[in-house]
Amino acid sequence: MSENLDNAGFETRAIHAGYAPDPTTGAVIPPIYATSTYAQDGVGGLRGGYEYSRSANPTRTALESTLAALEGGAHGFAFASGLAAEDTLIRALCRPGDHVVLPDDAYGGTFRLFDKVATNWGLEHSPAPVTDVDAVRAAIRPGRTTLVWLETPTNPLLSIGDIEALAAVAHDAGALLVVDNTFASSYLQQPLALGADIVVHSTTKYAGGHSDVVGGALVVDDAGLAETIGFHQNSIGGVAGPFDAWLVLRGLKTLALRMERHSDNAERIADFLTDHPAVSQVIYPGLPEHPGHAVASRQMRRYGGMVSFRVKGGEQQALAICAATKVFTLGESLGGVESLIEHPGRMTHASVAGTDLEVPADLVRLSVGIETSEDQLADLDRALATTV
């Protein structure tokens, strides 16, 4: 049932798009095609277009088709990591002397890629707050800005950018809007439908959902962009392997269910932290007092599983809380079924220390998992109580 799914619901597409039951065996799950090469029926006589697994692999094809279907795009591309996807995109669309507008609290790995790698071959970048459409417009350099890069929600400060408004700003300047949809997931947010040109994912996170795979993805609707990205994907070679592709495919089948539970639990935790005397600020788009709440309500199905908060005791208390939890595992990454806690300033965002993107030292970031909510709340309550 991989055809005629354009009008199907998200959950139906997540389960059925990209693969039909095997015509020989009836297997309903795609096999892991652990092969590097393919027999040809005479020179150039390819079977299904497959010749070498860097160029294409049937398991990866199933994943790429599913990713495209879930984002409402025509073309999906799966990579070995989110940064491999980003690097391929930069090389495909940017040239020396070009300029990119980045979020002023971008993911540390994205910032490092632009600031430490891409600058060496002449690509310039400048930060702008995603919450301020006029500031993004002012950061654009006419004739040189090729990409406006948007995370929404951002990592780790959970700022919300208006995708539709920023798409208009980018397009007016002749630039493309790239949206990193990792924090929201394709279930909660559909950037292409709001005017974005390219969607980026770290499929390591919510797409895979089980902390057992590293991967990345790009999704586009435009055929010309797809041709350029596909050429560079094959030429650079940072593709998803068949087993990794299979793991992400498995994760996508339950994405909708997991995101509902992530959101349920995160909303309860945000409410709990809001009333806690040790907490100075709770950052969660689902809270009415969040500055981006109205925009998030308009462009997201729900508010997601990421919660950040700041503590009154400063950096040392933040570090102590991270060390004191039991249900929340101290670790980097996010989006898995298990809850994680981290100190962005010392961990995921250490690479932006001393720059305009430096994060507050008293900030704690939670990736809220799908455990029993009462256990999560009790764990945080104990950790906060022992560090006051």
Side-chain angles (χ1 to χ4, degrees):
M1 186 184 169
S2 62
E3 299 179 357
N4 302 317
L5 292 174
D6 290 347
N7 297 318
F10 185 94
E11 294 88 342
T12 301
R13 283 177 282 136
I15 293 169
H16 294 291
Y19 180 75
D22 183 88
T24 301
T25 66
V28 298
I29 300 299
I32 301 169
Y33 283 91
T35 185
S36 60
T37 193
Y38 304 82
Q40 298 186 18
D41 298 321
V43 176
L46 308 184
R47 302 180 188 180
Y50 296 103
E51 58 180 335
Y52 187 62
S53 277
R54 171 173 40 79
S55 303
N57 174 282
T59 313
R60 195 175 92 221
T61 298
L63 171 60
E64 292 174 333
S65 299
T66 302
L67 288 166
L70 295 183
E71 282 289 351
H75 311 277
F77 304 89
F79 295 85
S81 70
L83 282 170
E86 293 184 5
D87 183 53
T88 301
L89 179 62
I90 293 168
R91 293 175 188 271
L93 300 182
C94 300
R95 298 294 177 265
D98 286 350
H99 171 258
V100 176
V101 179
L102 291 177
D104 66 352
D105 62 334
Y107 164 56
T110 298
F111 176 77
R112 183 175 59 238
L113 176 62
F114 279 98
D115 193 59
K116 306 300 183 188
V117 179
T119 53
N120 291 331
W121 54 279
L123 181 64
E124 298 180 10
H125 64 275
S126 56
V130 301
T131 57
D132 188 337
V133 174
D134 290 334
V136 173
R137 183 183 292 109
I140 290 174
R141 301 177 186 175
R144 294 184 58 201
T145 299
T146 52
L147 302 176
V148 173
W149 199 282
L150 173 61
E151 296 175 16
T152 182
T154 61
N155 178 10
L157 296 178
L158 303 178
S159 299
I160 301 296
D162 187 326
I163 297 172
E164 193 169 16
L166 291 172
V169 167
H171 297 158
D172 285 346
L176 300 174
L177 182 68
V178 179
V179 177
D180 186 335
N181 205 25
T182 298
F183 264 38
S185 83
S186 52
Y187 176 69
L188 297 183
Q189 186 168 263
Q190 298 273 284
L192 294 178
L194 295 169
D197 300 287
I198 303 150
V199 175
V200 178
H201 279 281
S202 170
T203 56
T204 309
K205 313 304 193 296
Y206 288 113
H210 293 77
S211 299
D212 55 8
V213 63
V214 173
L218 300 172
V219 179
V220 300
D221 205 34
D222 180 81
L225 281 176
E227 183 177 2
T228 300
I229 291 169
F231 174 82
H232 282 78
Q233 180 193 41
N234 183 47
S235 299
I236 296 170
V239 298
F243 185 54
D244 290 345
W246 187 88
L247 286 171
V248 176
L249 266 171
R250 179 210 54 184
L252 287 173
K253 293 181 186 300
T254 59
L255 178 61
L257 295 173
R258 289 185 286 106
M259 293 311 299
E260 290 287 349
R261 182 57 177 263
H262 285 300
S263 298
D264 286 343
N265 287 353
E267 288 170 9
R268 291 193 65 185
I269 285 173
D271 289 339
F272 163 77
L273 292 171
T274 298
D275 296 328
H276 200 284
V279 175
S280 60
Q281 182 186 11
V282 181
I283 307 170
Y284 184 65
L287 294 173
E289 60 267 29
H290 187 287
H293 179 72
V295 175
S297 299
R298 187 171 69 246
Q299 67 187 23
M300 297 177 71
R301 189 191 302 249
R302 294 189 68 183
Y303 304 103
M306 301 301 298
V307 179
S308 293
F309 65 97
R310 301 177 69 176
V311 292
K312 295 177 180 178
E315 182 178 34
Q316 291 307 308
Q317 186 185 17
L319 293 170
I321 291 168
C322 290
T325 56
K326 303 299 181 185
V327 175
F328 283 80
T329 300
L330 178 61
E332 299 191 9
S333 198
L334 59 106
V337 292
E338 67 289 317
S339 292
L340 298 176
I341 188 170
E342 68 124 356
H343 184 269
R346 296 281 191 96
M347 297 171 68
T348 53
H349 288 69
S351 63
V352 300
T355 74
D356 292 339
L357 281 73
E358 184 171 10
V359 298
D362 59 1
L363 185 74
V364 176
R365 190 191 76 178
L366 304 177
S367 173
V368 181
I370 64 172
E371 301 96 340
T372 302
S373 177
E374 288 75 13
D375 295 333
Q376 295 172 331
L377 294 170
D379 189 41
L380 290 172
D381 194 31
R382 285 191 301 269
L384 286 160
T386 59
T387 58
V388 173

